[in-house]
Amino acid sequence: MPELDFQFKDIMQMEHPELILKKVRPFMDLMMEYQCALMEVETKLNVLNEEFAAKYQRNPFESIKSRIKEPLSIINKMKRKGFELSVESMEKNLFDIAGIRVICSFCDDIYAIASMLTGQDDIILVDVKDYIKNPKPNGYRSLHLILDIPIFLSSGKKHMKVEVQFRTIAMDFWASLEHKVKYKKDVEHSEEIVAELKECADVISAMDCRMQEIRNKIEGKA
């Protein structure tokens, strides 16, 4: 397939632009590079998990989920943010195209693993949003990191952005259910539902703290 010089704004005039983008070489190449960046970060996390298992006889996280943002979601976000519709602008302005979600058992593990990951000398920490210590108004809790990580291609080294989200099992449970219900008709405008979701988030946060305290007692830290 020949190289194509294109502008997103031209593709946006076509039917089903997200399907067309999947067949455009510059876009496909960039998605491949983001996938490589995900593989790099996942490998680092898996190494830390194996080390914890060997040293402390436990795993610091329950699961890792990775994803590349769908083309239509990328287009919609670019338009919503008012960015130029081009591949170059997409790479420059969007830092969550490649995303990894790490589900941990305890809050302490979140900060421990995040510190170990960002302390590696080939990773640059671009941004931190700590919604655990500073929850969103709706009760959402999570630790978000934007990482700059190098990938090594046949053409040489290239730096890519990857978003890593850390949550406990309880935080992920709440976020998953909140995501499913908030798009239902009139939910966003229901003060009662919003208040109930916030209350559930507070209960879950209290449970996370209590489970952490119990583990500390068992390990003799309390």
Side-chain angles (χ1 to χ4, degrees):
M1 181 177 179
E3 294 291 334
L4 299 176
D5 183 17
F6 75 99
Q7 291 291 324
F8 274 24
K9 61 185 178 182
D10 299 325
I11 294 177
M12 286 300 297
Q13 306 302 318
M14 305 175 189
E15 187 176 4
H16 301 302
E18 71 277 10
L19 300 180
I20 298 171
L21 279 179
K22 289 184 177 180
K23 299 181 180 179
V24 177
R25 179 52 60 89
F27 181 83
M28 293 174 64
D29 287 346
L30 186 58
M31 293 302 102
M32 176 274 295
E33 291 167 357
Y34 278 119
Q35 187 62 52
C36 291
L38 284 180
M39 292 166 61
E40 291 281 356
V41 177
E42 282 191 84
T43 297
K44 289 176 176 295
L45 287 166
N46 283 324
V47 168
L48 289 172
N49 198 40
E50 288 297 321
E51 181 186 5
F52 258 65
K55 281 188 175 182
Y56 308 112
Q57 289 73 54
R58 70 180 184 84
N59 300 101
F61 50 82
E62 298 291 326
S63 65
I64 302 176
K65 304 174 185 177
S66 63
R67 64 101 182 98
I68 299 292
K69 209 173 190 66
E70 288 294 324
L72 186 57
S73 295
I74 294 173
I75 293 171
N76 288 338
K77 186 166 186 177
M78 296 274 288
K79 292 174 66 179
R80 189 170 66 253
K81 297 286 187 179
F83 297 136
E84 177 189 354
L85 297 176
S86 67
V87 168
E88 293 77 13
S89 176
M90 181 176 71
E91 186 175 4
K92 177 183 177 181
N93 294 301
L94 299 188
F95 293 167
D96 63 345
I97 292 175
I100 295 179
R101 183 171 299 150
V102 184
I103 309 302
C104 297
S105 301
F106 301 96
C107 283
D108 278 5
D109 289 339
I110 288 178
Y111 292 106
I113 295 299
S115 177
M116 293 174 192
L117 182 64
T118 56
Q120 297 186 15
D121 59 12
D122 59 342
I123 285 182
I124 299 171
L125 179 60
V126 177
D127 190 30
V128 179
K129 291 181 180 178
D130 192 339
Y131 297 118
I132 299 175
K133 294 179 179 177
N134 302 287
K136 289 186 177 182
N138 67 345
Y140 175 84
R141 290 173 169 84
S142 183
L143 177 65
H144 292 198
L145 308 180
I146 302 297
L147 306 180
D148 180 302
I149 185 165
I151 61 172
F152 298 87
L153 305 169
S154 60
S155 57
K157 181 170 71 172
K158 181 176 180 180
H159 285 264
M160 306 296 297
K161 302 292 192 304
V162 175
E163 181 187 54
V164 184
Q165 296 181 4
F166 290 90
R167 299 174 181 172
T168 64
I169 300 169
M171 292 173 195
D172 191 57
F173 166 75
W174 182 91
S176 177
L177 294 183
E178 191 267 351
H179 180 77
K180 291 176 180 177
V181 302
K182 74 177 182 179
Y183 291 108
K184 299 294 183 181
K185 185 177 180 180
D186 298 328
V187 165
E188 290 183 307
H189 306 289
S190 169
E191 293 184 4
E192 179 184 358
I193 296 298
V194 171
E196 288 190 24
L197 286 170
K198 176 63 167 61
E199 182 181 353
C200 287
D202 292 341
V203 170
I204 284 176
S205 177
M207 183 184 70
D208 264 338
C209 290
R210 187 165 184 182
M211 294 300 292
Q212 180 72 62
E213 290 171 358
I214 292 172
R215 193 188 81 168
N216 289 346
K217 288 180 181 179
I218 293 172
E219 296 182 349
K221 295 179 181 179

